[in-house]
Amino acid sequence: MSKIWFTSDLHLNNKNIIKYCNRPYADQYEMNKALIENWNSKVAEEDTVYVLGDFIMGMADTIPDILAQLKGNIHLIRGNHDSDVKMDYYAKAGIPVSWMDTLSYKDKYFIMCHFPIENQQLFKCMVGDNSEIIFLYGHIHDNAPYGYVNKTFHVGVDTNNYMPVDIETIYQESLMEDSKNESC
């Protein structure tokens, strides 16, 4: 059975992100190799992966080679470093790209954006019913909280052991947190 995964801010090919986020890699080649191996250790070919921005940096012509190494069906939520030039490469690879996306799973409604947005009224308008909302985001790297916090989840690699996070893990964390809040 296929799974749904989320990740963001891989910044593949970007040597500066190693220092900026204190990543444990000697250079961008070591980082690329580790992030691709981590991705493929979790994701199966039939799985879906939502990348919430800042996917592949550096020269756009490296995108096809990197995409060829990654398992799963990728959907890109565009981030601030995902340039127009790179969008052409993603389109040629058949990768859907949007600024925001939504996904219903069990009794929860997932809203995805690269940037952290704290506006429950906006989310309610997007959902249009009383579904429980979980907001997924990236962008703030190792400055983000870990795990499910206040109906949000930072899916960036810097707070998730440099790996994608599956939807069921986020769903279960939300149930645990919601039950704690109900018992208060």
Side-chain angles (χ1 to χ4, degrees):
M1 186 171 156
S2 64
K3 288 184 168 185
I4 299 170
W5 299 89
F6 304 99
T7 190
S8 76
D9 299 289
L10 287 92
H11 285 257
L12 292 164
N13 286 338
N14 182 349
K15 67 180 178 183
N16 294 331
I17 200 70
I18 296 167
K19 183 177 179 185
Y20 178 76
C21 291
N22 299 309
R23 291 186 179 179
Y25 307 110
D27 56 35
Q28 71 267 28
Y29 306 108
E30 181 182 320
M31 179 182 71
N32 286 1
K33 183 177 187 288
L35 292 176
I36 291 168
E37 286 174 359
N38 290 349
W39 175 305
N40 289 334
S41 73
K42 298 282 187 180
V43 177
E45 289 295 344
E46 67 275 7
D47 292 350
T48 299
V49 183
Y50 288 90
V51 178
L52 276 59
D54 294 358
F55 189 14
I56 302 171
M57 307 293 103
M59 299 300 295
D61 62 357
T62 65
I63 290 173
D65 179 55
I66 291 172
L67 293 177
Q69 297 176 61
L70 296 169
K71 293 180 186 175
N73 302 299
I74 300 169
H75 295 253
L76 177 61
I77 309 301
R78 195 169 174 177
N80 55 303
H81 292 288
D82 297 314
S83 69
D84 290 339
V85 172
K86 291 176 183 153
M87 293 305 108
D88 291 336
Y89 283 90
Y90 295 126
K92 287 176 189 167
I95 294 176
V97 178
S98 61
W99 285 103
M100 289 183 81
D101 207 346
T102 58
L103 178 67
S104 181
Y105 181 78
K106 297 186 178 179
D107 60 339
K108 307 282 185 178
Y109 201 82
F110 291 76
I111 298 176
M112 299 169 275
C113 183
H114 176 65
F115 304 99
I117 300 172
E118 296 182 29
N119 189 326
Q120 289 295 321
Q121 289 305 108
L122 169 66
F123 300 154
K124 286 293 181 190
C125 290
M126 293 175 74
V127 174
D129 63 21
N130 289 325
S131 297
E132 183 73 25
I133 296 169
I134 299 175
F135 180 67
L136 306 178
Y137 66 99
H139 186 63
I140 56 176
H141 296 275
D142 54 348
N143 292 319
Y146 175 80
Y148 182 80
V149 177
N150 195 26
K151 302 188 183 307
T152 70
F153 196 101
H154 180 263
V155 298
V157 295
D158 295 297
T159 57
N160 292 290
N161 297 316
Y162 306 102
M163 296 189 180
V165 182
D166 69 288
I167 197 167
E168 184 62 23
T169 296
I170 297 170
Y171 178 81
Q172 291 300 323
E173 283 194 31
S174 76
L175 294 179
M176 289 187 315
E177 187 65 27
D178 292 347
S179 69
K180 277 193 242 176
N181 290 336
E182 287 175 7
S183 65
C184 293

